[in-house]
């Protein structure tokens, strides 16, 4: 009788995204969307969809783990269907691809790199929102905020950068 491999097969994926900041045209209040949550900020983020840099990086990490193209392949920025679209749609799509391939999320770790908005006060809320979207418990989701020491685009407030790494376990 064949001995079943006791090790679950797993796959790792890396996601990266950057969005430019833009000042509100009327000089009024502005906000960014992170993890599907609107957060007050001195600027908003430029992008064809809702510019959710966090969900885009996570989506790309999942697709990357599956070696399944990338977010731009499935949702081209020039496609009118994607204008102002909620980025949760992109993530739900990637999760569907993941489940059909027979995998589930083991854990996720993200870096949000920006001077503003401050991530620490909303960190728990962001983790909860992402865990809900992924359908996993919050202890599987890490989101860390850090500045770029005022260096480069993220440090000058010209962009927000997100890195995400995800581990998928084969569903047994
Ligand atoms: Zn993006």
């Amino acid at each position: 009788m064949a001995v079943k491999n006791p090790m679950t097969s797993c796959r790792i994926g890396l996601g990266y995204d950057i969005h430019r900041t833009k000042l509100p045209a009327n000089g009024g209040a502005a906000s960014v969307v992170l993890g599907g949550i609107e957060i007050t900020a001195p600027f908003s983020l430029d992008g064809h969809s809702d510019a959710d840099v966090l969900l885009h990086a996570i989506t790309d990490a999942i697709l990357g783990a599956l070696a399944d193209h990338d977010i731009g392949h499935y949702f081209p920025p020039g496609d009118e269907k994607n204008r102002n679209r909620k980025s949760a749609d992109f993530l739900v799509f990637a999760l569907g691809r993941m489940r059909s391939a027979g995998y589930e999320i083991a854990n996720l770790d993200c870096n949000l790199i920006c001077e503003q908005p401050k991530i620490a006060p909303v960190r728990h809320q962001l983790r909860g929102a992402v865990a809900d979207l992924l359908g996993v418990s919050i202890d599987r989701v890490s989101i860390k905020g850090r500045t770029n020491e005022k260096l480069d685009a993220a440090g000058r407030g010209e962009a927000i950068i997100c890195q995400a790494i995800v581990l998928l376990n084969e569903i047994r």
Side-chain angles (χ1 to χ4, degrees), residues 19-82:
H19 279 259
R20 286 174 196 271
T21 59
K22 60 176 184 188
L23 292 172
N26 55 9
S31 62
V32 298
V33 178
L34 296 175
I37 295 174
E38 203 170 321
I39 295 162
T40 305
F43 43 70
S44 57
L45 290 178
D46 204 11
H48 201 67
S49 62
D50 62 5
D52 192 326
V53 67
L54 175 60
L55 292 191
H56 292 178
I58 296 170
T59 301
D60 239 12
I62 294 169
L63 292 174
L66 300 169
D68 182 9
H69 297 289
D70 59 27
I71 192 171
H73 174 83
Y74 291 112
F75 303 99
D79 190 334
E80 275 308 303
K81 283 203 300 281
N82 300 327

Short mmCIF file of all heavy atoms in Angstrom, two decimals, residues 19-82:
data_model
loop_
_atom_site.label_atom_id
_atom_site.label_comp_id
_atom_site.label_asym_id
_atom_site.label_seq_id
_atom_site.Cartn_x
_atom_site.Cartn_y
_atom_site.Cartn_z
N HIS A 19 0.67 52.86 -4.99
CA HIS A 19 -0.26 53.84 -5.58
C HIS A 19 0.19 55.24 -5.22
O HIS A 19 0.59 55.52 -4.09
CB HIS A 19 -1.69 53.62 -5.07
CG HIS A 19 -2.40 52.51 -5.78
ND1 HIS A 19 -3.32 52.72 -6.78
CD2 HIS A 19 -2.28 51.16 -5.66
CE1 HIS A 19 -3.75 51.55 -7.24
NE2 HIS A 19 -3.13 50.59 -6.57
N ARG A 20 0.09 56.13 -6.21
CA ARG A 20 0.41 57.55 -5.98
C ARG A 20 -0.66 58.18 -5.10
O ARG A 20 -1.84 57.82 -5.21
CB ARG A 20 0.35 58.32 -7.30
CG ARG A 20 1.48 58.10 -8.23
CD ARG A 20 1.15 58.84 -9.53
NE ARG A 20 2.01 58.37 -10.58
CZ ARG A 20 3.21 58.91 -10.85
NH1 ARG A 20 3.62 59.95 -10.17
NH2 ARG A 20 3.96 58.42 -11.81
N THR A 21 -0.24 59.14 -4.31
CA THR A 21 -1.21 59.92 -3.54
C THR A 21 -1.64 61.12 -4.38
O THR A 21 -0.91 61.56 -5.28
CB THR A 21 -0.59 60.42 -2.22
OG1 THR A 21 0.54 61.23 -2.52
CG2 THR A 21 -0.16 59.26 -1.34
N LYS A 22 -2.83 61.62 -4.11
CA LYS A 22 -3.28 62.86 -4.76
C LYS A 22 -4.05 63.69 -3.75
O LYS A 22 -4.78 63.15 -2.91
CB LYS A 22 -4.09 62.57 -6.01
CG LYS A 22 -5.34 61.77 -5.77
CD LYS A 22 -6.15 61.59 -7.05
CE LYS A 22 -7.44 60.85 -6.72
NZ LYS A 22 -8.23 60.45 -7.87
N LEU A 23 -3.87 64.99 -3.86
CA LEU A 23 -4.55 65.89 -2.93
C LEU A 23 -5.97 66.10 -3.40
O LEU A 23 -6.24 66.10 -4.61
CB LEU A 23 -3.81 67.23 -2.85
CG LEU A 23 -2.42 67.13 -2.19
CD1 LEU A 23 -1.67 68.45 -2.31
CD2 LEU A 23 -2.55 66.72 -0.72
N PRO A 24 -6.92 66.25 -2.46
CA PRO A 24 -8.31 66.47 -2.88
C PRO A 24 -8.41 67.78 -3.67
O PRO A 24 -7.81 68.78 -3.29
CB PRO A 24 -9.07 66.54 -1.56
CG PRO A 24 -8.06 66.75 -0.50
CD PRO A 24 -6.76 66.24 -1.02
N ALA A 25 -9.17 67.74 -4.79
CA ALA A 25 -9.27 68.89 -5.69
C ALA A 25 -9.79 70.13 -4.97
O ALA A 25 -9.32 71.25 -5.19
CB ALA A 25 -10.17 68.52 -6.86
N ASN A 26 -10.75 69.94 -4.06
CA ASN A 26 -11.37 71.08 -3.39
C ASN A 26 -10.63 71.47 -2.10
O ASN A 26 -11.07 72.36 -1.38
CB ASN A 26 -12.83 70.76 -3.07
CG ASN A 26 -12.95 69.46 -2.26
OD1 ASN A 26 -11.94 68.90 -1.81
ND2 ASN A 26 -14.18 69.00 -2.07
N GLY A 27 -9.52 70.79 -1.82
CA GLY A 27 -8.77 71.09 -0.60
C GLY A 27 -9.46 70.60 0.65
O GLY A 27 -9.05 70.90 1.76
N GLY A 28 -10.51 69.81 0.48
CA GLY A 28 -11.29 69.33 1.64
C GLY A 28 -10.72 68.05 2.22
O GLY A 28 -9.55 67.73 2.02
N ALA A 29 -11.58 67.33 2.93
CA ALA A 29 -11.17 66.09 3.60
C ALA A 29 -10.85 65.03 2.55
O ALA A 29 -11.42 65.01 1.47
CB ALA A 29 -12.28 65.62 4.51
N ALA A 30 -9.92 64.17 2.90
CA ALA A 30 -9.56 63.10 1.98
C ALA A 30 -9.45 61.80 2.77
O ALA A 30 -9.37 61.81 4.00
CB ALA A 30 -8.23 63.40 1.31
N SER A 31 -9.46 60.68 2.04
CA SER A 31 -9.34 59.38 2.69
C SER A 31 -8.74 58.39 1.70
O SER A 31 -8.75 58.60 0.49
CB SER A 31 -10.70 58.90 3.16
OG SER A 31 -11.56 58.74 2.05
N VAL A 32 -8.19 57.32 2.27
CA VAL A 32 -7.70 56.22 1.45
C VAL A 32 -8.50 54.98 1.82
O VAL A 32 -9.05 54.90 2.92
CB VAL A 32 -6.18 55.97 1.68
CG1 VAL A 32 -5.37 57.17 1.27
CG2 VAL A 32 -5.89 55.60 3.13
N VAL A 33 -8.57 54.03 0.90
CA VAL A 33 -9.25 52.76 1.18
C VAL A 33 -8.18 51.69 1.38
O VAL A 33 -7.34 51.46 0.51
CB VAL A 33 -10.19 52.37 0.02
CG1 VAL A 33 -10.86 51.02 0.30
CG2 VAL A 33 -11.25 53.43 -0.21
N LEU A 34 -8.17 51.10 2.56
CA LEU A 34 -7.22 50.03 2.88
C LEU A 34 -8.00 48.85 3.45
O LEU A 34 -8.75 49.02 4.41
CB LEU A 34 -6.18 50.50 3.90
CG LEU A 34 -5.23 51.63 3.49
CD1 LEU A 34 -4.36 52.07 4.65
CD2 LEU A 34 -4.36 51.21 2.31
N GLY A 35 -7.85 47.70 2.85
CA GLY A 35 -8.58 46.52 3.31
C GLY A 35 -10.09 46.73 3.22
O GLY A 35 -10.84 46.15 3.99
N GLY A 36 -10.51 47.56 2.27
CA GLY A 36 -11.93 47.85 2.08
C GLY A 36 -12.48 48.87 3.07
O GLY A 36 -13.67 49.18 3.04
N ILE A 37 -11.62 49.42 3.92
CA ILE A 37 -12.06 50.38 4.94
C ILE A 37 -11.58 51.77 4.56
O ILE A 37 -10.40 51.95 4.19
CB ILE A 37 -11.49 49.99 6.33
CG1 ILE A 37 -12.06 48.66 6.77
CG2 ILE A 37 -11.78 51.07 7.36
CD1 ILE A 37 -11.46 48.15 8.04
N GLU A 38 -12.47 52.75 4.66
CA GLU A 38 -12.10 54.12 4.34
C GLU A 38 -11.44 54.75 5.56
O GLU A 38 -12.01 54.76 6.65
CB GLU A 38 -13.36 54.89 3.95
CG GLU A 38 -13.06 56.09 3.09
CD GLU A 38 -14.33 56.70 2.51
OE1 GLU A 38 -15.25 55.95 2.13
OE2 GLU A 38 -14.39 57.95 2.49
N ILE A 39 -10.23 55.26 5.38
CA ILE A 39 -9.46 55.81 6.49
C ILE A 39 -9.08 57.25 6.16
O ILE A 39 -8.54 57.53 5.07
CB ILE A 39 -8.18 54.96 6.72
CG1 ILE A 39 -8.59 53.55 7.18
CG2 ILE A 39 -7.26 55.61 7.73
CD1 ILE A 39 -7.50 52.54 7.03
N THR A 40 -9.35 58.14 7.08
CA THR A 40 -9.04 59.56 6.87
C THR A 40 -7.52 59.72 6.69
O THR A 40 -6.74 59.14 7.43
CB THR A 40 -9.51 60.38 8.08
OG1 THR A 40 -10.89 60.10 8.26
CG2 THR A 40 -9.32 61.86 7.86
N ALA A 41 -7.14 60.51 5.69
CA ALA A 41 -5.72 60.73 5.40
C ALA A 41 -5.57 62.13 4.81
O ALA A 41 -6.56 62.74 4.40
CB ALA A 41 -5.22 59.67 4.43
N PRO A 42 -4.34 62.65 4.73
CA PRO A 42 -4.16 63.98 4.15
C PRO A 42 -4.33 63.96 2.63
O PRO A 42 -4.24 65.01 1.99
CB PRO A 42 -2.71 64.34 4.51
CG PRO A 42 -2.19 63.26 5.38
CD PRO A 42 -3.09 62.08 5.26
N PHE A 43 -4.53 62.79 2.06
CA PHE A 43 -4.62 62.65 0.59
C PHE A 43 -5.48 61.44 0.29
O PHE A 43 -5.86 60.69 1.19
CB PHE A 43 -3.22 62.44 0.00
CG PHE A 43 -2.38 61.48 0.80
CD1 PHE A 43 -2.68 60.13 0.83
CD2 PHE A 43 -1.31 61.93 1.57
CE1 PHE A 43 -1.93 59.24 1.57
CE2 PHE A 43 -0.54 61.03 2.33
CZ PHE A 43 -0.86 59.69 2.33
N SER A 44 -5.79 61.24 -0.99
CA SER A 44 -6.40 59.98 -1.40
C SER A 44 -5.39 59.28 -2.31
O SER A 44 -4.32 59.82 -2.58
CB SER A 44 -7.73 60.23 -2.11
OG SER A 44 -7.52 61.08 -3.21
N LEU A 45 -5.74 58.08 -2.76
CA LEU A 45 -4.83 57.33 -3.63
C LEU A 45 -5.38 57.32 -5.04
O LEU A 45 -6.58 57.18 -5.26
CB LEU A 45 -4.66 55.89 -3.12
CG LEU A 45 -3.88 55.74 -1.82
CD1 LEU A 45 -3.81 54.27 -1.40
CD2 LEU A 45 -2.46 56.31 -1.96
N ASP A 46 -4.45 57.49 -5.99
CA ASP A 46 -4.81 57.51 -7.40
C ASP A 46 -4.90 56.06 -7.90
O ASP A 46 -4.05 55.23 -7.55
CB ASP A 46 -3.70 58.25 -8.16
CG ASP A 46 -4.22 58.83 -9.45
OD1 ASP A 46 -5.46 58.83 -9.64
OD2 ASP A 46 -3.40 59.27 -10.26
N GLY A 47 -5.89 55.78 -8.70
CA GLY A 47 -6.00 54.43 -9.25
C GLY A 47 -7.29 54.28 -9.99
O GLY A 47 -8.22 55.08 -9.81
N HIS A 48 -7.37 53.27 -10.83
CA HIS A 48 -8.54 53.08 -11.66
C HIS A 48 -9.70 52.52 -10.83
O HIS A 48 -10.84 52.94 -10.97
CB HIS A 48 -8.18 52.11 -12.78
CG HIS A 48 -9.09 52.21 -13.95
ND1 HIS A 48 -9.12 53.34 -14.75
CD2 HIS A 48 -10.01 51.36 -14.44
CE1 HIS A 48 -10.03 53.15 -15.69
NE2 HIS A 48 -10.58 51.96 -15.53
N SER A 49 -9.36 51.59 -9.93
CA SER A 49 -10.39 51.02 -9.04
C SER A 49 -10.46 51.92 -7.80
O SER A 49 -10.20 53.10 -7.87
CB SER A 49 -9.99 49.59 -8.65
OG SER A 49 -8.76 49.61 -7.94
N ASP A 50 -10.74 51.32 -6.63
CA ASP A 50 -10.74 52.12 -5.40
C ASP A 50 -9.32 52.30 -4.84
O ASP A 50 -9.14 52.85 -3.76
CB ASP A 50 -11.68 51.50 -4.35
CG ASP A 50 -11.24 50.10 -3.94
OD1 ASP A 50 -10.17 49.65 -4.39
OD2 ASP A 50 -11.97 49.45 -3.18
N ALA A 51 -8.32 51.83 -5.59
CA ALA A 51 -6.89 52.04 -5.26
C ALA A 51 -6.51 51.44 -3.90
O ALA A 51 -5.65 51.98 -3.21
CB ALA A 51 -6.54 53.53 -5.31
N ASP A 52 -7.13 50.32 -3.57
CA ASP A 52 -6.85 49.67 -2.27
C ASP A 52 -5.53 48.90 -2.38
O ASP A 52 -5.50 47.72 -2.75
CB ASP A 52 -8.02 48.73 -1.91
CG ASP A 52 -7.96 48.25 -0.48
OD1 ASP A 52 -6.85 48.07 0.05
OD2 ASP A 52 -9.04 48.04 0.10
N VAL A 53 -4.46 49.59 -2.06
CA VAL A 53 -3.11 49.06 -2.25
C VAL A 53 -2.90 47.77 -1.44
O VAL A 53 -2.21 46.85 -1.89
CB VAL A 53 -2.08 50.18 -1.90
CG1 VAL A 53 -2.10 50.52 -0.43
CG2 VAL A 53 -0.67 49.85 -2.34
N LEU A 54 -3.55 47.68 -0.28
CA LEU A 54 -3.42 46.49 0.57
C LEU A 54 -4.08 45.27 -0.09
O LEU A 54 -3.45 44.21 -0.22
CB LEU A 54 -4.04 46.78 1.94
CG LEU A 54 -4.12 45.63 2.95
CD1 LEU A 54 -2.74 45.09 3.29
CD2 LEU A 54 -4.83 46.08 4.24
N LEU A 55 -5.32 45.43 -0.53
CA LEU A 55 -6.01 44.28 -1.14
C LEU A 55 -5.37 43.90 -2.47
O LEU A 55 -5.37 42.72 -2.85
CB LEU A 55 -7.51 44.57 -1.32
CG LEU A 55 -8.33 44.68 -0.04
CD1 LEU A 55 -9.82 44.70 -0.37
CD2 LEU A 55 -8.02 43.57 0.96
N HIS A 56 -4.81 44.88 -3.21
CA HIS A 56 -4.16 44.55 -4.48
C HIS A 56 -2.92 43.68 -4.23
O HIS A 56 -2.68 42.70 -4.93
CB HIS A 56 -3.75 45.82 -5.24
CG HIS A 56 -4.91 46.62 -5.72
ND1 HIS A 56 -4.78 47.82 -6.39
CD2 HIS A 56 -6.25 46.39 -5.61
CE1 HIS A 56 -5.99 48.29 -6.68
NE2 HIS A 56 -6.88 47.45 -6.22
N ALA A 57 -2.13 44.04 -3.22
CA ALA A 57 -0.92 43.27 -2.93
C ALA A 57 -1.28 41.85 -2.45
O ALA A 57 -0.65 40.87 -2.84
CB ALA A 57 -0.07 43.98 -1.88
N ILE A 58 -2.34 41.75 -1.64
CA ILE A 58 -2.77 40.43 -1.15
C ILE A 58 -3.28 39.58 -2.32
O ILE A 58 -2.95 38.39 -2.43
CB ILE A 58 -3.86 40.57 -0.06
CG1 ILE A 58 -3.29 41.28 1.17
CG2 ILE A 58 -4.44 39.21 0.32
CD1 ILE A 58 -4.34 41.69 2.20
N THR A 59 -4.08 40.18 -3.19
CA THR A 59 -4.60 39.46 -4.37
C THR A 59 -3.45 38.93 -5.21
O THR A 59 -3.45 37.78 -5.65
CB THR A 59 -5.49 40.40 -5.21
OG1 THR A 59 -6.56 40.87 -4.39
CG2 THR A 59 -6.05 39.71 -6.44
N ASP A 60 -2.44 39.78 -5.43
CA ASP A 60 -1.29 39.37 -6.25
C ASP A 60 -0.47 38.29 -5.56
O ASP A 60 0.09 37.42 -6.23
CB ASP A 60 -0.42 40.59 -6.55
CG ASP A 60 -0.30 40.82 -8.05
OD1 ASP A 60 -1.06 40.19 -8.82
OD2 ASP A 60 0.57 41.61 -8.45
N ALA A 61 -0.41 38.33 -4.24
CA ALA A 61 0.33 37.29 -3.51
C ALA A 61 -0.35 35.94 -3.69
O ALA A 61 0.31 34.92 -3.91
CB ALA A 61 0.43 37.66 -2.03
N ILE A 62 -1.69 35.92 -3.61
CA ILE A 62 -2.43 34.66 -3.77
C ILE A 62 -2.27 34.13 -5.19
O ILE A 62 -1.97 32.95 -5.40
CB ILE A 62 -3.92 34.86 -3.40
CG1 ILE A 62 -4.06 35.19 -1.91
CG2 ILE A 62 -4.75 33.63 -3.77
CD1 ILE A 62 -5.43 35.67 -1.49
N LEU A 63 -2.45 35.02 -6.18
CA LEU A 63 -2.28 34.57 -7.58
C LEU A 63 -0.85 34.10 -7.80
O LEU A 63 -0.60 33.11 -8.50
CB LEU A 63 -2.63 35.72 -8.55
CG LEU A 63 -4.11 36.12 -8.58
CD1 LEU A 63 -4.31 37.35 -9.47
CD2 LEU A 63 -4.99 34.97 -9.08
N GLY A 64 0.11 34.79 -7.18
CA GLY A 64 1.52 34.41 -7.31
C GLY A 64 1.78 33.03 -6.72
O GLY A 64 2.52 32.23 -7.29
N ALA A 65 1.17 32.75 -5.59
CA ALA A 65 1.35 31.43 -4.96
C ALA A 65 0.83 30.33 -5.87
O ALA A 65 1.35 29.22 -5.87
CB ALA A 65 0.63 31.39 -3.61
N LEU A 66 -0.21 30.65 -6.66
CA LEU A 66 -0.79 29.66 -7.56
C LEU A 66 -0.07 29.64 -8.91
O LEU A 66 -0.42 28.85 -9.79
CB LEU A 66 -2.27 29.99 -7.80
CG LEU A 66 -3.17 29.99 -6.54
CD1 LEU A 66 -4.53 30.58 -6.88
CD2 LEU A 66 -3.32 28.58 -5.99
N ALA A 67 0.92 30.54 -9.09
CA ALA A 67 1.59 30.74 -10.39
C ALA A 67 0.53 31.00 -11.46
O ALA A 67 0.55 30.43 -12.54
CB ALA A 67 2.47 29.55 -10.75
N ASP A 68 -0.41 31.87 -11.13
CA ASP A 68 -1.62 32.10 -11.93
C ASP A 68 -1.68 33.58 -12.35
O ASP A 68 -2.50 34.34 -11.87
CB ASP A 68 -2.84 31.70 -11.09
CG ASP A 68 -4.15 31.84 -11.84
OD1 ASP A 68 -4.12 32.08 -13.06
OD2 ASP A 68 -5.20 31.70 -11.19
N HIS A 69 -0.79 33.99 -13.24
CA HIS A 69 -0.77 35.37 -13.76
C HIS A 69 -0.68 36.39 -12.61
O HIS A 69 -0.12 36.11 -11.57
CB HIS A 69 -1.99 35.65 -14.63
CG HIS A 69 -2.04 34.81 -15.86
ND1 HIS A 69 -1.18 34.98 -16.91
CD2 HIS A 69 -2.85 33.77 -16.20
CE1 HIS A 69 -1.46 34.10 -17.86
NE2 HIS A 69 -2.45 33.34 -17.45
N ASP A 70 -1.33 37.55 -12.82
CA ASP A 70 -1.34 38.59 -11.78
C ASP A 70 -2.62 39.40 -11.90
O ASP A 70 -3.41 39.20 -12.81
CB ASP A 70 -0.08 39.48 -11.85
CG ASP A 70 0.05 40.18 -13.19
OD1 ASP A 70 -0.98 40.43 -13.85
OD2 ASP A 70 1.18 40.50 -13.57
N ILE A 71 -2.80 40.31 -10.99
CA ILE A 71 -4.05 41.08 -10.91
C ILE A 71 -4.31 41.87 -12.21
O ILE A 71 -5.44 41.96 -12.67
CB ILE A 71 -4.03 41.97 -9.65
CG1 ILE A 71 -5.39 42.57 -9.35
CG2 ILE A 71 -2.97 43.05 -9.73
CD1 ILE A 71 -5.48 43.27 -7.99
N GLY A 72 -3.23 42.40 -12.80
CA GLY A 72 -3.38 43.19 -14.02
C GLY A 72 -3.82 42.34 -15.21
O GLY A 72 -4.46 42.84 -16.15
N HIS A 73 -3.50 41.07 -15.19
CA HIS A 73 -3.90 40.17 -16.27
C HIS A 73 -5.42 39.97 -16.24
O HIS A 73 -6.09 40.00 -17.28
CB HIS A 73 -3.20 38.82 -16.11
CG HIS A 73 -3.65 37.77 -17.08
ND1 HIS A 73 -3.16 37.69 -18.36
CD2 HIS A 73 -4.56 36.77 -16.95
CE1 HIS A 73 -3.76 36.67 -18.98
NE2 HIS A 73 -4.60 36.10 -18.15
N TYR A 74 -5.97 39.76 -15.05
CA TYR A 74 -7.40 39.50 -14.94
C TYR A 74 -8.24 40.77 -14.88
O TYR A 74 -9.40 40.77 -15.25
CB TYR A 74 -7.68 38.62 -13.70
CG TYR A 74 -7.16 37.23 -13.86
CD1 TYR A 74 -6.09 36.76 -13.09
CD2 TYR A 74 -7.72 36.37 -14.80
CE1 TYR A 74 -5.60 35.48 -13.24
CE2 TYR A 74 -7.23 35.08 -14.97
CZ TYR A 74 -6.18 34.64 -14.19
OH TYR A 74 -5.69 33.36 -14.36
N PHE A 75 -7.65 41.83 -14.35
CA PHE A 75 -8.39 43.10 -14.20
C PHE A 75 -7.56 44.24 -14.76
O PHE A 75 -7.00 45.04 -14.00
CB PHE A 75 -8.74 43.34 -12.72
CG PHE A 75 -9.52 42.21 -12.10
CD1 PHE A 75 -8.87 41.26 -11.33
CD2 PHE A 75 -10.88 42.08 -12.33
CE1 PHE A 75 -9.58 40.20 -10.77
CE2 PHE A 75 -11.60 41.03 -11.77
CZ PHE A 75 -10.95 40.09 -10.99
N PRO A 76 -7.46 44.37 -16.09
CA PRO A 76 -6.61 45.41 -16.68
C PRO A 76 -7.07 46.80 -16.24
O PRO A 76 -8.28 47.07 -16.22
CB PRO A 76 -6.80 45.22 -18.19
CG PRO A 76 -7.43 43.89 -18.36
CD PRO A 76 -8.17 43.57 -17.09
N PRO A 77 -6.12 47.68 -15.87
CA PRO A 77 -6.49 49.01 -15.40
C PRO A 77 -7.24 49.82 -16.45
O PRO A 77 -8.03 50.69 -16.11
CB PRO A 77 -5.15 49.68 -15.06
CG PRO A 77 -4.08 48.69 -15.32
CD PRO A 77 -4.69 47.42 -15.81
N GLY A 78 -7.02 49.51 -17.73
CA GLY A 78 -7.68 50.29 -18.79
C GLY A 78 -9.12 49.85 -19.03
O GLY A 78 -9.86 50.51 -19.77
N ASP A 79 -9.54 48.75 -18.42
CA ASP A 79 -10.87 48.20 -18.66
C ASP A 79 -11.92 49.02 -17.90
O ASP A 79 -11.85 49.14 -16.68
CB ASP A 79 -10.88 46.73 -18.21
CG ASP A 79 -12.14 45.99 -18.63
OD1 ASP A 79 -13.19 46.65 -18.83
OD2 ASP A 79 -12.08 44.75 -18.75
N GLU A 80 -12.88 49.55 -18.65
CA GLU A 80 -13.91 50.42 -18.03
C GLU A 80 -14.69 49.70 -16.93
O GLU A 80 -15.19 50.33 -16.00
CB GLU A 80 -14.87 50.92 -19.10
CG GLU A 80 -14.38 52.17 -19.81
CD GLU A 80 -13.97 53.28 -18.84
OE1 GLU A 80 -14.80 53.69 -18.02
OE2 GLU A 80 -12.81 53.73 -18.89
N LYS A 81 -14.78 48.36 -17.04
CA LYS A 81 -15.52 47.58 -16.04
C LYS A 81 -14.89 47.72 -14.65
O LYS A 81 -15.53 47.51 -13.64
CB LYS A 81 -15.50 46.09 -16.41
CG LYS A 81 -16.45 45.70 -17.51
CD LYS A 81 -16.80 44.22 -17.46
CE LYS A 81 -15.61 43.29 -17.61
NZ LYS A 81 -15.13 43.10 -18.98
N ASN A 82 -13.58 48.05 -14.65
CA ASN A 82 -12.86 48.10 -13.38
C ASN A 82 -12.80 49.50 -12.78
O ASN A 82 -12.23 49.69 -11.70
CB ASN A 82 -11.44 47.54 -13.56
CG ASN A 82 -11.48 46.10 -14.04
OD1 ASN A 82 -12.39 45.37 -13.68
ND2 ASN A 82 -10.53 45.72 -14.85
#
